[in-house]
Amino acid sequence: MTRTILPGQTIGIIGGGQLGRMMALAAKEAGFKIAVLDPAMDSPTGQVADVQIVAPFDDAQALEELAEVSDVITYEFENIDVDGLRHLAEIAYVPQGAELIGITQNRIIEKKAIRAAGVPIADYIEVSSFEQLQEKAGQLDYPFVVKTARGGYDGKGQQIVKNAERLKETEALFHSGDCVAEAFIDFTMEISVVIQRNTLGETAILPIGENVHKDHILHQTIVPARVDEETIRKAQEAAQAIAEHLQMVGTLAVEMFVLPDGEILVNELAPRPHNSGHYSIEATNISQFHQHIRAICGWPLRKPKLWSSAVMVNVLGEHVAPLTTKIAQYPDWSIHLYGKDEAKHKRKMGHVTILTDDINETLNEIDASGIWPE
């Protein structure tokens, strides 16, 4: 049964990171209260929440406490205990359910779900041991990529295999369990499609961004993606097919490769607001965070409209000090820092969004700033 959650009621968020913080800020604009469950006392979300429950994510008593104080519950990251989330859905209103989390936590299950939605992905094989990989490796051309079925993000939990002699380098990955080996894709760019769906089945898709990575971590998102309209159409249709097949509620980021001929292949899914959608706070008429709150609360979704081209740049730990010394030089930059206590190397600490009439000029300005050295 769907419900309409109204201002003054409480939205519970599992996870206290920056995505939860930006969800909470969007919700508070509309008059909602926020409860957060996170192990850290001073989490980014906890700093702006009305109720903090400080406990591990799989703490049954803490989950029940979150259920008691919340009128609706969402999550801001996918590495949640699925059984705990299923139990929570029995005692509280969790419109997103637990099944989507279960699917996206396992690359093998995720790939099967994407294919079942009729959407193209790279060729792959399932392997449960290094010995099985040795036996099946001939089914793929070199190079290919071996990834752990569970866990892994920002390039962790995966290894490129350039030739048969390098196969041994993947052996340690199997200590984590099953893996997938997938064809290495010669793509022209990566894009991400952020699709949102409310409890009534209404969907909306943000303008599609083009992603640039450094050291397997998202560095920039350029909007609109510099691809032709036919590729945009195919990407939107793929995201729509996956969302409908999964009957998802909330937010789903669909990361895709664009091939030289303009075709797309889906790489992976993230069942939550996504780093590549942060630009939407300034650059569109409805941010991914405001839309996510609408979706889980049973409100109608707004049709996203891009006000301006934009570039979003991630601020990692090593970028914080140089950024803060140069704020006065860039009045047109929108600076977001997440309230994390320690600026660790490669840790996502914030982002900058720049609205622009000339993407290339803005990319040159970012490079010239010296904040993000090559």
Side-chain angles (χ1 to χ4, degrees):
M1 179 187 293
T2 63
R3 304 179 193 173
T4 302
I5 309 301
L6 298 173
Q9 293 185 280
T10 299
I11 298 172
I13 302 175
I14 303 173
Q18 65 265 23
L19 299 178
R21 179 189 182 95
M22 288 182 273
M23 275 185 210
L25 292 171
K28 279 182 163 288
E29 287 183 19
F32 290 102
K33 295 185 176 73
I34 298 296
V36 61
L37 169 63
D38 193 88
M41 175 64 75
D42 192 38
S43 68
T45 312
Q47 293 165 18
V48 299
D50 300 281
V51 178
Q52 283 193 79
I53 301 170
V54 181
F57 298 121
D58 59 354
D59 185 310
Q61 185 174 340
L63 288 167
E64 289 182 7
E65 185 179 345
L66 184 67
E68 287 176 11
V69 299
S70 303
D71 297 290
V72 62
I73 295 175
T74 185
Y75 47 78
E76 63 111 41
F77 74 118
E78 55 264 55
N79 292 322
I80 303 170
D81 178 68
V82 175
D83 290 336
L85 191 60
R86 285 195 183 105
H87 173 65
L88 188 63
E90 293 173 357
I91 61 172
Y93 182 47
V94 187
Q96 292 162 277
E99 298 315 306
L100 181 57
I101 285 285
I103 290 168
T104 57
Q105 282 183 354
N106 186 304
R107 285 190 171 97
I108 295 172
I109 298 172
E110 180 180 277
K111 288 178 182 297
K112 289 177 177 177
I114 295 168
R115 273 196 172 158
V119 174
I121 59 173
D123 290 336
Y124 74 97
I125 52 175
E126 303 172 27
V127 281
S128 57
S129 66
F130 177 66
E131 292 71 27
Q132 193 174 48
L133 176 63
Q134 290 177 304
E135 294 170 9
K136 290 186 172 184
Q139 296 177 27
L140 295 173
D141 293 330
Y142 290 100
F144 57 77
V145 187
V146 180
K147 300 178 180 179
T148 56
R150 290 185 172 275
Y153 63 96
D154 290 344
K156 298 177 177 66
Q158 58 182 270
Q159 178 70 48
I160 296 175
V161 182
K162 295 182 178 178
N163 52 53
E165 290 70 37
R166 304 285 292 274
L167 206 58
K168 187 76 174 173
E169 296 172 6
T170 68
E171 192 166 9
L173 294 177
F174 291 91
H175 296 164
S176 301
D178 294 347
C179 293
V180 293
E182 61 184 50
F184 186 83
I185 303 302
D186 182 21
F187 58 93
T188 58
M189 73 171 67
E190 183 189 290
I191 61 175
S192 53
V193 185
V194 178
I195 184 168
Q196 298 178 296
R197 186 172 182 272
N198 67 11
T199 53
L200 303 174
E202 179 187 6
T203 59
I205 298 177
L206 283 178
I208 294 174
E210 168 188 340
N211 296 329
V212 178
H213 290 81
K214 282 187 179 180
D215 300 323
H216 302 288
I217 300 172
L218 183 65
H219 170 51
Q220 294 175 340
T221 297
I222 300 163
V223 188
R226 293 170 292 183
V227 295
D228 62 35
E229 286 300 318
E230 182 63 13
T231 298
I232 293 291
R233 183 187 65 78
K234 290 175 181 175
Q236 290 174 331
E237 288 180 353
Q240 187 78 42
I242 293 169
E244 294 298 336
H245 176 73
L246 298 175
Q247 291 290 287
M248 52 80 63
V249 170
T251 303
L252 183 70
V254 186
E255 297 180 43
M256 307 182 186
F257 296 131
V258 179
L259 307 184
D261 62 1
E263 295 295 319
I264 56 99
L265 291 177
V266 170
N267 181 31
E268 60 184 15
L269 309 177
R272 51 166 172 75
H274 195 258
N275 195 170
S276 64
H278 292 351
Y279 77 88
S280 61
I281 296 172
E282 284 83 20
T284 67
N285 63 331
I286 181 78
S287 80
Q288 65 170 338
F289 301 103
H290 289 86
Q291 196 87 293
H292 181 81
I293 296 302
R294 285 174 167 263
I296 63 167
C297 290
W299 290 22
L301 301 184
R302 186 177 299 168
K303 182 175 174 58
K305 177 180 179 181
L306 189 66
W307 294 131
S308 166
S309 298
V311 180
M312 186 283 301
V313 197
N314 266 337
V315 176
L316 306 183
E318 60 268 33
H319 305 139
V320 173
L323 173 65
T324 52
T325 62
K326 296 185 178 183
I327 287 174
Q329 298 178 33
Y330 300 101
D332 293 333
W333 291 13
S334 296
I335 296 170
H336 299 254
L337 293 174
Y338 303 146
K340 295 183 178 179
D341 56 353
E342 187 179 352
K344 295 178 182 177
H345 187 71
K346 300 300 180 189
R347 187 186 193 191
K348 291 176 183 175
M349 300 297 294
H351 70 271
V352 172
T353 299
I354 308 166
L355 306 186
T356 180
D357 295 322
D358 189 324
I359 286 175
N360 289 327
E361 183 180 294
T362 298
L363 293 174
N364 290 335
E365 178 183 76
I366 292 166
D367 290 342
S369 73
I371 298 168
W372 297 273
E374 288 296 323

